[in-house]
Amino acid sequence: IKKIGVLTSGGDAPGMNAAIRGVVRTALTEGIEIYGIEDGYLGLYENRIKQLHRYSVSDIITRGGTFLGSARFPAFKEKETRAKAIENLKANGIDALVVIGGDGSYMGAVRLTEEGFPCIGLPGTIDNDIRGTDYTIGYFTALQTAVEAIDRLRDTCSSHHRISVIEIMGRGCGDLTLNAAVAGGCEFMIIPEVAYTKEDLIQEIKQGFAKGKKHAIVAVAEHMLDVNALAKDIEVAVQHETRATVLGHVQRGGSPVPYDRILGSRMGAYAVELLIQGQGGRSIGIQNGKLVHHDIMDALNNMKRPFDLDLYNTAKRLF
Ligand code: F6P
């Protein structure tokens, strides 16, 4: 293998820069040329590809976001779009591609691999929703950010004896909400993995106030309901002032915590090692503290992500 390409795609995540740096520096150490693709699959389609050097990745390990840029590019689902991308890769003499991103980005990597261009997927997303890995790059930084935000909201909702409803990201995966709720001492939570009804939630909140609660925090995973409407309903039913806060994209930014920098660095280096061994079409993960790799198509199509029911049950007892 002589030339490797690297791109970041989909929603950015803190630690993606560390992963790019891991890929770049390991490749160069092994005498392999490395090319950075701007703005994910969009830049690949538009042939925005530049050679990277050891110092192209200086001072980025501390930075959130991705210095290569990222994009959502739905047109990559089209075969003709991907054919152009493969043409560009080949024209640049690139032999393999490292894709750092979430679910949608993995899908693109699977398709390219099926169409004859070997890709390695690195899980880069705050959602922690990629199969075949315990953790994704960016998750722990987003968790830290969400917990800091909950702590701040707790201060003000405690002063005003209010109820606070907080929407947390995760795109169909409750990990960020569940873990932020436990760490932030939230009293109630709504996550996609566990069925709920608004009536039960309101009942539980009422019981909490009857037992002497003066304020409460409800953590809600995004896309489950309208948090502003829920706050109004709670206010009317519980007869207690209630406010909603959507944490939003704040959760995606910021300097990565050490774990995400280390995970990104390790996975980046591992991707190059696998490519040197001649392994393409793999998705990298960390399971029980060890780096692992799975068939990328199998990971995407067949594997399941475990839900931490124990933690959920513990949380319920702590509320
Ligand atoms: O996948 C990361 C994520 O931040 C999700 O948590 C969220 O649903 C989505 O991206 C938001 O996407 P966009 O930045 O395109 O609005």
Side-chain angles (χ1 to χ4, degrees):
I1 195 145
K2 294 204 173 60
K3 292 186 184 180
I4 295 176
V6 58
L7 62 78
T8 47
S9 159
D12 60 351
M16 278 183 162
N17 278 327
I20 301 166
R21 179 175 173 274
V23 173
V24 169
R25 296 230 164 135
T26 310
L28 292 172
T29 302
E30 298 299 329
I32 299 167
E33 284 182 23
I34 177 85
Y35 290 78
I37 293 136
E38 292 173 357
D39 299 338
Y41 293 121
L42 173 66
L44 184 55
Y45 176 72
E46 293 174 348
N47 200 22
R48 288 189 276 121
I49 300 176
K50 58 183 179 199
Q51 189 167 4
L52 299 175
H53 305 282
R54 188 158 286 270
Y55 302 111
S56 313
V57 290
S58 297
D59 299 333
I60 64 167
I61 196 163
T62 59
R63 278 165 38 198
T66 157
F67 93 107
L68 285 176
S70 190
R72 300 208 188 271
F73 185 46
F76 207 68
K77 289 191 187 117
E78 310 302 325
K79 199 167 172 153
E80 309 79 71
T81 312
R82 294 195 300 272
K84 178 84 174 79
I86 293 178
E87 197 182 301
N88 291 339
L89 285 163
K90 289 193 173 153
N92 284 279
I94 296 171
D95 309 302
L97 182 65
V98 178
V99 172
I100 307 167
D103 247 5
S105 319
Y106 266 41
M107 192 52 92
V110 166
R111 292 284 168 264
L112 289 177
T113 303
E114 280 170 348
E115 286 153 15
F117 200 89
C119 294
I120 298 263
L122 254 66
T125 165
I126 65 162
D127 299 332
N128 208 35
D129 61 346
I130 300 279
R131 284 154 275 197
T133 188
D134 294 341
Y135 301 115
T136 56
I137 300 162
Y139 168 66
F140 279 105
T141 306
L143 181 56
Q144 173 84 26
T145 306
V147 173
E148 278 171 16
I150 292 170
D151 291 350
R152 283 162 203 262
L153 286 164
R154 173 177 294 286
D155 289 345
T156 173
C157 94
S158 154
S159 308
H160 287 266
H161 316 295
R162 281 176 176 158
I163 299 169
S164 198
V165 179
I166 306 175
E167 182 183 295
I168 298 170
M169 276 186 170
R171 200 200 280 265
C173 175
D175 282 19
L176 204 50
T177 304
L178 168 59
N179 286 273
V182 172
C186 298
E187 283 76 8
F188 308 96
M189 83 172 95
I190 300 177
I191 54 174
E193 293 83 355
V194 181
Y196 81 100
T197 68
K198 193 170 68 180
E199 292 65 37
D200 287 348
L201 174 76
I202 286 174
Q203 199 49 37
E204 282 180 40
I205 298 175
K206 276 185 176 165
Q207 281 164 3
F209 276 83
K211 276 194 244 154
K213 263 188 198 311
K214 299 267 180 290
H215 61 90
I217 302 180
V218 186
V220 182
E222 66 173 357
H223 303 317
M224 298 212 46
L225 46 78
D226 176 340
V227 284
N228 286 298
L230 178 66
K232 283 208 183 82
D233 291 345
I234 293 174
E235 185 164 283
V236 169
V238 184
Q239 285 295 294
H240 216 92
E241 250 191 330
T242 307
R243 297 282 190 271
T245 305
V246 176
L247 296 188
H249 288 81
V250 164
Q251 295 160 101
R252 286 244 293 266
S255 177
V257 297
Y259 186 85
D260 281 329
R261 299 181 196 192
I262 295 165
L263 190 62
S265 302
R266 289 180 72 188
M267 287 183 163
Y270 195 49
V272 176
E273 277 170 39
L274 291 180
L275 288 171
I276 290 171
Q277 288 166 20
Q279 308 239 28
R282 313 300 294 173
S283 93
I284 289 180
I286 187 145
Q287 289 177 317
N288 303 317
K290 296 236 173 320
L291 289 173
V292 293
H293 58 97
H294 303 283
D295 181 284
I296 192 166
M297 293 179 235
D298 192 35
L300 207 61
N301 299 330
N302 306 322
M303 287 185 176
K304 290 223 173 340
R305 265 203 61 79
F307 170 65
D308 195 345
L309 191 61
D310 278 356
L311 182 61
Y312 180 80
N313 288 332
T314 301
K316 291 294 279 182
R317 281 189 305 222
L318 301 179
F319 290 167

